Amino acid sequence: MNALSFLRDRKTGMSYSLDCEWYEFTDILLRNLRDNFKDINFIGIRVLESRDAGSFIRRYCGYYGTEYDKTMGTWRKERAFTIKKSGYNAYFGLSANALAQDSEFEVKEDATKTQIKSAFVKSLKSKKMNKKILGEFVELVA
């Protein structure tokens, strides 16, 4: 993007610099949505193959340091992690292999919060690593 490009929201009066990498553009749009809808939690869920987790984590945690080491350690141990430094309130990374072993996550198109929570609980209840993610998810939805 061009360093002289901005996203301006006339309703909130906020301007967002578009001097960013291609993958950061979504975060800018999400921050704008969060500024417009302050009482709504935005949740991202990324299903990752094992080989893709490292590069995804580096986008948000950097290449080195405590945060990177902690997130990678959580990924290796639990096959799931949460990133709080993105445009989402919480961005969950889940292992595709671990999810393939669980039951399906199905909800109706007009599902309520309770129905979504119930389906999420059902799909993730058998794995220890998913209980931590479930707790964070429920905290944001409830």
Side-chain angles (χ1 to χ4, degrees):
M1 296 266 171
N2 185 340
L4 300 176
S5 298
F6 292 88
L7 170 66
R8 181 171 164 236
D9 186 332
R10 292 180 183 180
K11 181 179 175 186
T12 63
M14 298 289 293
S15 292
Y16 308 86
S17 174
L18 298 178
D19 182 22
C20 61
E21 297 294 328
W22 62 270
Y23 57 84
E24 295 171 313
F25 185 68
T26 302
D27 286 341
I28 292 169
L29 295 176
L30 285 165
R31 286 189 180 99
N32 174 248
L33 283 171
R34 286 174 63 182
D35 287 342
N36 278 290
F37 304 101
K38 294 189 184 295
D39 56 343
I40 295 176
N41 289 321
F42 290 87
I43 300 169
I45 299 175
R46 181 75 178 251
V47 179
L48 297 160
E49 295 293 333
S50 292
R51 67 181 178 270
D52 299 329
S55 63
F56 183 75
I57 291 170
R58 283 189 291 276
R59 283 187 186 160
Y60 295 98
C61 301
Y63 281 77
Y64 305 103
T66 309
E67 188 176 3
Y68 172 78
D69 293 338
K70 182 180 173 187
T71 307
M72 280 303 291
T74 303
W75 170 255
R76 287 184 191 109
K77 182 179 176 186
E78 300 176 7
R79 298 321 239 176
F81 59 87
T82 305
I83 292 176
K84 303 277 185 172
K85 287 178 54 180
S86 72
Y88 296 103
N89 293 86
Y91 203 171
F92 299 106
L94 305 173
S95 168
N97 294 336
L99 286 176
Q101 299 168 1
D102 290 336
S103 60
E104 292 185 25
F105 179 79
E106 290 184 33
V107 292
K108 295 178 183 173
E109 198 168 308
D110 58 344
T112 65
K113 284 183 183 180
T114 306
Q115 290 169 331
I116 294 170
K117 176 185 166 189
S118 176
F120 198 75
V121 168
K122 227 182 258 185
S123 73
L124 299 179
K125 71 180 175 183
S126 66
K127 293 278 186 190
K128 177 187 168 194
M129 66 110 182
N130 293 326
K131 290 180 182 172
K132 179 180 177 247
I133 299 296
L134 174 63
E136 292 181 43
F137 179 81
V138 169
E139 200 174 289
L140 290 168
V141 172

